[in-house]
Amino acid sequence: GENVEQHPSTLSVQEGDSAVIKCTYSDSASNYFPWYKQELGKRPQLIIDIRSNVGEKKDQRIAVTLNKTAKHFSLHITETQPEDSAVYFCAAIATNTSGTYKYIFGTGTRLKVLA
Amino acid sequence: NAGVMQNPRHLVRRRGQEARLRCSPMKGHSHVYWYRQLPEEGLKFMVYLQKENIIDESGMPKERFSAEFPKEGPSILRIQQVVRGDSAAYFCASSRDAQNTEAFFGQGTRLTVV
């Protein structure tokens, strides 16, 4: 069935360093890949997304890259700050046998930015 | 636009009781997803609904759990005869359509079974 794997499960970085989170997906028909940030006790919120017609997208300190051939996509956070500490989820839109779509989430990465 | 509204935010039920969780999607959104999140864990897909239709319920337990999204009113996730293992945060998300568009999450309902 559809699957999204996410690594690492936890990541600690020093303030100012970069953080990279990687995901792989199984459904070759997936064409939309959002990333969500969930702070403790709060709802997941979209921080960036990428569609399959581009290989990279950047928004200030956050960037996402997509390799459709390898079915990989990654989140890059540069110049990390303490407020970046949260759980990050990747997701992919997957199709099921009847041709409908659903969001499948990775298992999450707990990022800690150490001051 | 008030965003995705879930209520209640916190729900305490005794074992054997029923839990009803409500989700009002964003205005203009006709697609609703329910996810379950255990402490320190990820978002587990439960069910995907459109108005009056269940599109995919492959993540729903076969017994005690049901979901609906009527023509009028919020989507309801219903858990009958709750057990302690049902304690979790339940998030709903809505989107305008199912492909290539952002899903917005509600604040979640934290269910505690005592």
Side-chain angles (χ1 to χ4, degrees), chain B residues 69-93:
Chain B
F69 189 14
K71 187 176 180 180
E72 301 291 337
S75 175
I76 306 287
L77 179 67
R78 183 182 177 204
I79 311 172
Q80 295 178 291
Q81 299 173 345
V82 295
V83 301
R84 289 231 171 99
D86 296 333
S87 296
Y90 292 85
F91 287 94
C92 97

Side-chain angles (χ1 to χ4, degrees), chain A residues 56-108:
Chain A
E56 184 173 358
K57 184 177 178 180
K58 191 172 181 181
D59 182 5
Q60 299 182 341
R61 297 186 297 109
I62 295 173
V64 58
T65 58
L66 172 64
N67 182 331
K68 283 218 74 180
T69 303
K71 297 183 190 172
H72 289 170
F73 57 113
S74 300
L75 178 71
H76 305 252
I77 306 174
T78 58
E79 301 172 22
T80 52
Q81 301 167 4
E83 52 264 37
D84 294 329
S85 296
V87 179
Y88 291 82
F89 293 97
C90 63
I93 302 297
T95 55
N96 63 16
T97 53
S98 61
T100 57
Y101 302 87
K102 64 186 179 188
Y103 288 77
I104 301 296
F105 283 85
T107 49

Side-chain angles (χ1 to χ4, degrees), chain A residues 7 20 35 63 71 101 112:
Chain A
H7 300 282
V20 181
W35 285 89
K71 297 183 190 172
Y101 302 87
K112 291 184 183 178

Side-chain angles (χ1 to χ4, degrees), chain A residues 2 29 31-32 36 38 40-46 49 51 87 89 93 96 98 100-108 110, chain B residues 3-4 9 33 35 37 40-43 45 48 55-56 58 91 95 97-108 110:
Chain A
E2 317 92 348
N31 54 10
Y32 176 61
Y36 286 81
Q38 185 179 29
L40 189 63
K42 296 189 177 180
R43 75 181 87 189
Q45 291 194 297
L46 182 83
D49 56 15
R51 289 172 171 77
V87 179
F89 293 97
I93 302 297
N96 63 16
S98 61
T100 57
Y101 302 87
K102 64 186 179 188
Y103 288 77
I104 301 296
F105 283 85
T107 49
R110 185 171 301 278
Chain B
V4 180
R9 291 288 308 278
Y33 307 83
Y35 294 87
Q37 187 175 40
E40 307 291 314
E41 294 192 9
L43 295 158
F45 169 80
Y48 162 37
I55 305 302
D56 186 330
S58 58
F91 287 94
S95 65
D97 58 51
Q99 188 182 15
N100 298 338
T101 59
E102 178 182 354
F104 293 83
F105 280 85
Q107 294 273 36
R110 278 155 183 80

